């Protein structure tokens, strides 16, 4: 088995991270793009992932991608898709990372895939769920189609950037993940503070 250079490993990891982060916006867009890239020879698949470029896989992914892109424009269905997409994003992110890391032993590949790929996709997906819930609460769902359009654009644009300029895509994905991670920590701290405040009894005369 040929060993990859450090540069090739970095590029493979950057590609996987960019695709995994994009799957947090739309699960099937980067999976379909990766399958097409494998099929046309643009992106060599890791051992065991050639099936991603097969005709049945591409047809299935194309149908799922179309349903996912359009489904978020339908009221109520967007929240149902969020519930389904959250575990799917974790699996999709791990799969994309694993398919981008050739010539690694299976244990190392899957540990990196689950932690990095699945974690990146899950963080992005979880953040979009919270943002969609916020737009629904504040606008009654009127802004949700605009939010869906933004997500679609980020999924398609992020996927294309990952395939064409992996290092740039990985840098942007890392910045996005750090930003979302900080927002998650702030949100958790506010929740804890709110719970603690709710437990504090109100002294007589202040009620």
């Amino acid at each position: 088995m040929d060993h990859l250079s450090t540069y090739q490993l970095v590029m493979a990891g950057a590609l996987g991270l960019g695709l995994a982060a994009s799957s947090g916006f739309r699960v099937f867009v980067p999976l379909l793009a990766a399958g097409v890239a494998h099929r046309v020879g643009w992106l060599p698949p890791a051992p065991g992932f050639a099936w991603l470029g097969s005709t049945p896989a591409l047809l299935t992914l194309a149908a799922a991608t179309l349903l996912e892109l359009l489904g978020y424009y339908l009221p109520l269905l967007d929240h149902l898709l969020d519930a389904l997409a959250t575990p799917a994003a974790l699996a999709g992110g791990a799969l994309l990372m694993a398919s981008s890391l050739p010539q690694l032993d299976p244990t190392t590949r899957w540990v990196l895939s689950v932690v990095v790929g699945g974690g990146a996709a899950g963080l992005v997906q979880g953040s979009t769920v919270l943002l969609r819930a916020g737009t629904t609460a504040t606008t009654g769902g009127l802004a949700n189609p605009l939010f869906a359009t933004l997500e679609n654009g980020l999924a398609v644009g992020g996927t294309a950037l990952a395939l064409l300029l992996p290092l740039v895509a990985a840098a942007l994905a890392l910045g996005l993940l750090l930003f979302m991670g900080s927002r998650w920590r702030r949100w958790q701290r506010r929740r804890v503070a709110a719970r603690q405040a709710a437990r504090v009894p109100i002294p007589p005369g202040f009620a």
Side-chain angles (χ1 to χ4, degrees):
M1 180 175 63
D2 296 332
H3 293 284
L4 298 181
S5 66
T6 301
Y7 173 77
Q8 289 174 312
L9 286 173
V10 170
M11 290 294 288
L15 172 64
L17 178 59
L19 291 176
S22 298
S23 71
F25 294 111
R26 291 291 180 264
V27 177
F28 295 106
V29 169
L31 283 170
L32 176 61
V36 172
H38 294 328
R39 181 64 174 264
V40 301
W42 176 270
L43 178 66
F49 288 93
W51 61 267
L52 197 57
S54 66
T55 298
L58 290 178
L59 291 176
T60 301
L61 289 172
T65 298
L66 183 62
L67 176 63
E68 186 180 29
L69 290 175
L70 298 179
Y72 276 95
Y73 290 103
L74 300 178
L76 300 180
L77 182 58
D78 54 355
H79 294 289
L80 175 61
L81 287 174
D82 272 340
L84 298 174
T86 298
L90 294 170
L95 180 63
L96 286 163
M97 177 64 77
S99 67
S100 302
L101 293 173
Q103 308 300 350
L104 290 178
D105 67 271
T107 301
T108 302
R109 177 189 298 163
W110 283 108
V111 168
L112 288 174
S113 299
V114 171
V115 174
V116 179
L123 180 57
V124 173
Q125 171 64 18
S127 299
T128 61
V129 170
L130 287 179
L131 289 173
R132 194 183 328 280
T135 60
T136 300
T138 56
T139 69
L142 295 177
N144 285 14
L146 295 176
F147 188 63
T149 301
L150 176 62
E151 287 180 303
N152 288 344
L154 289 172
V156 174
T159 298
L161 189 62
L163 291 172
L164 297 174
L165 298 170
L167 292 178
V168 175
L172 292 175
L174 185 58
L176 178 65
L177 293 172
L178 291 174
F179 172 75
M180 288 182 169
S182 67
R183 299 295 294 180
W184 268 99
R185 287 193 297 271
R186 290 175 60 183
W187 180 69
Q188 290 288 348
R189 285 198 296 266
R190 286 199 298 267
R191 287 191 63 188
V192 172
R195 289 177 180 175
Q196 291 176 343
R199 296 194 187 103
V200 176
I202 301 177
F206 287 88

